[in-house]
Amino acid sequence: MSTQNFTLPDVGEGLTEAEIVTWKVAPGDSVAINDVICEIETAKSLVELPSPHAGVVGELLVAEGATVEVGTPIITFVTDARDDAGPGHVVTAEAPAPEEGGGSVLVGYGTGGGATSRRKRPAERPVRSSVGVIAKPPIRKLARDLGVDLTSVTPTGADGEVTRDDVVNHASQASVFRNIQTPEWGAVREETVPAPQAAPAGLARGVAPAPASAPVDDSRTESIPVKGVRKATSSAMVQSAYSAPHVTVWKEIDASRTMELVKRLKASPDYADIRVSPLLIMARAVIWAARRTPMVNAAWVETDNGAEIVVRHYVNLGIAAATPRGLLVPNIKDAQDLGMKDLARALNRLTLTAREGKTSPADQQGGTITITNIGVFGMDAGTPIINPGEAGIIAMGTISQKPWVVDGEVRPRWVTTVAGSFDHRVIDGDGMSRFIADVASVLEEPALLVD
């Protein structure tokens, strides 16, 4: 028998540290190669870490909630020396084969220099319930979180298995305009450090106490560690706000015909398995308008020879998503090549992975322009901060019925506000104004998308 230390590996994201979120094993547990031992959170995503050894868990060297650097020992294993590569064994990772809905899971830690494909643990195999539904445990948990009755879901997976997409597509929308849905937060949205108890009171009046012994009512405050996604987001926002000159323009529009189109698409058999919301029309509008004003899809780049503006003739469309773990901005690659249905499916997949907190780092890189749907929070308008590496971001406000003048008469119409912040180094006010006007014209008359 031998004892092996396992150090936090480089998860291939160019990051140097990660937080141990949850241990999936305890001392004394038996594990096989590629059994999940813990969940770690980097600045980009939540990742399941598999075991590189077969044996018995010895000691957990890092507590849950601690952030450690790559290369730090985090766990020990007691292994059979005949089945282990011995001290100095180098752990390698290979890219996982994608499951439905994606996710960030490291697999393939091998021994003896070879990569081993991950075995399915018994708990991960599809199971059949008493009512005859075939679904994996993570899918059942997702269904419970979304309030979906699995017996009413039409399965599309192999052998009649219910997939993640099946559950998400079946889930009811929180509102007519909401696309990015996130789980309900608890009483505390982010992990906090419990406040210390207040010092005893009762010091004599008129006596100046020493600073170290002064009573402080610490129950009125609490400390929230800045780490993980929050740390990365704050750094990126400060960098963007203080490096790019931000200007915002906005326009209030009549989106009644967009709402009519969304209603028709929801009722169409062609969209029976696809969730549709006004965000879909907004996404198409932004892609269409960016083709007419390419500078909004450009970027300011500093080089050794000075600055230059890089104009992208493709659209990697970012969608800002508020999740319980913080703000994520995944993007849909080459969105300009997608038709309406394919774009809707891409938004559905983005919704699923964002909700699960497992948006991959690759999905958050390379964005060219971003939409933030602040309407899901009941906000009419805002002045969003540009995502680093981009020149424009569009905020879509809530869609609500308001009085609107139509042909000289005041009528109730579905009204929203579209705002756009832009990097004034890259694009001038007239260009961004034309872009927002184009987006507004599509939301007012979606027939413009037919070309």
Side-chain angles (χ1 to χ4, degrees):
M1 305 297 288
S2 65
T3 299
Q4 301 291 333
N5 282 344
F6 177 46
T7 61
L8 180 68
D10 178 358
V11 297
E13 301 176 18
L15 302 171
T16 60
E17 64 180 19
E19 176 192 345
I20 306 299
V21 177
T22 306
W23 282 108
K24 301 296 185 181
V25 295
D29 287 353
S30 296
V31 295
I33 291 176
N34 288 325
D35 280 356
V36 174
I37 57 174
C38 67
E39 278 189 331
I40 64 173
E41 182 182 23
T42 70
K44 294 291 185 181
S45 60
L46 198 65
V47 177
E48 289 181 345
L49 201 62
S51 172
H53 302 289
V56 176
V57 175
E59 183 180 0
L60 306 182
L61 304 177
V62 178
E64 290 183 351
T67 298
V68 295
E69 295 183 352
V70 169
T72 302
I74 61 173
I75 189 173
T76 64
F77 296 93
V78 179
T79 64
D80 188 330
R82 295 171 300 176
D83 297 331
D84 200 274
H89 167 58
V90 177
V91 177
T92 60
E94 72 175 356
E99 293 186 19
E100 66 271 7
S104 300
V105 183
L106 296 180
V107 298
Y109 288 124
T111 57
T116 305
S117 61
R118 184 183 180 193
R119 298 186 298 106
K120 280 190 176 181
R121 300 167 67 189
E124 292 178 329
R125 296 192 181 102
V127 294
R128 183 180 295 274
S129 73
S130 59
V131 293
V133 177
I134 303 175
K136 296 176 183 177
I139 307 305
R140 294 180 179 277
K141 181 179 184 303
L142 177 62
R144 288 195 301 271
D145 292 343
L146 299 180
V148 172
D149 180 2
L150 284 175
T151 61
S152 63
V153 176
T154 301
T156 63
D159 300 322
E161 181 183 348
V162 175
T163 68
R164 287 186 177 90
D165 285 345
D166 295 337
V167 173
V168 171
N169 290 333
H170 190 84
S172 60
Q173 297 185 48
S175 70
V176 70
F177 53 79
R178 183 161 186 163
N179 189 66
I180 297 297
Q181 285 185 298
T182 56
E184 291 297 326
W185 280 282
V188 179
R189 294 192 176 186
E190 298 185 32
E191 182 181 356
T192 60
V193 176
Q197 294 297 318
L203 293 177
R205 179 177 298 177
V207 177
S213 61
V216 178
D217 186 4
D218 288 331
S219 64
R220 298 178 63 184
T221 64
E222 62 180 350
S223 297
I224 300 176
V226 179
K227 56 186 178 180
V229 173
R230 174 60 58 191
K231 183 177 180 180
T233 299
S234 62
S235 176
M237 292 299 98
V238 169
Q239 174 194 346
S240 177
Y242 286 96
S243 62
H246 282 57
V247 180
T248 305
V249 296
W250 57 87
K251 181 176 175 59
E252 192 175 40
I253 62 175
D254 177 1
S256 298
R257 290 185 177 176
T258 284
M259 300 301 285
E260 292 170 1
L261 175 58
V262 169
K263 184 177 180 180
R264 290 199 301 271
L265 292 178
K266 287 181 177 180
S268 170
D270 292 339
Y271 287 79
D273 62 339
I274 304 174
R275 296 182 61 203
V276 178
S277 78
L279 184 60
L280 171 61
I281 314 304
M282 179 68 168
R284 286 296 303 272
V286 167
I287 296 168
W288 181 81
R291 187 167 64 242
R292 290 163 56 89
T293 308
M295 297 304 290
V296 77
N297 195 49
W300 180 276
V301 178
E302 299 284 353
T303 70
D304 293 339
N305 299 322
E308 62 184 22
I309 295 173
V310 177
V311 182
R312 280 83 66 108
H313 299 294
Y314 61 92
V315 177
N316 288 348
L317 183 64
I319 305 293
T323 76
R325 305 200 73 84
L327 177 68
L328 300 177
V329 189
N331 62 79
I332 300 169
K333 302 294 190 291
D334 291 316
Q336 79 284 350
D337 294 334
L338 301 180
M340 186 78 84
K341 284 200 292 186
D342 287 338
L343 183 60
R345 290 191 178 98
L347 287 170
N348 286 178
R349 288 191 294 270
L350 180 151
T351 302
L352 171 65
T353 53
R355 179 187 295 119
E356 293 183 335
K358 294 186 177 181
T359 302
S360 71
D363 285 342
Q364 299 178 67
Q365 297 169 354
T368 64
I369 190 169
T370 294
I371 298 172
T372 177
N373 187 6
I374 61 175
V376 301
F377 308 113
M379 297 296 101
D380 292 324
T383 56
I385 297 177
I386 302 165
N387 205 29
E390 302 175 16
I393 181 171
I394 300 87
M396 182 180 186
T398 185
I399 302 178
S400 58
Q401 284 198 319
K402 295 182 179 180
W404 196 261
V405 178
V406 181
D407 297 329
E409 297 181 359
V410 178
R411 301 177 185 176
R413 304 290 287 178
W414 289 102
V415 177
T416 189
T417 300
V418 175
S421 294
F422 60 99
D423 185 342
H424 217 318
R425 298 172 300 177
V426 178
I427 184 171
D428 295 329
D430 64 335
M432 190 62 174
S433 296
R434 288 196 303 269
F435 172 80
I436 292 297
D438 279 343
V439 172
S441 66
V442 171
L443 295 180
E444 290 174 343
E445 183 46 83
L448 289 173
L449 294 174
V450 181
D451 54 17

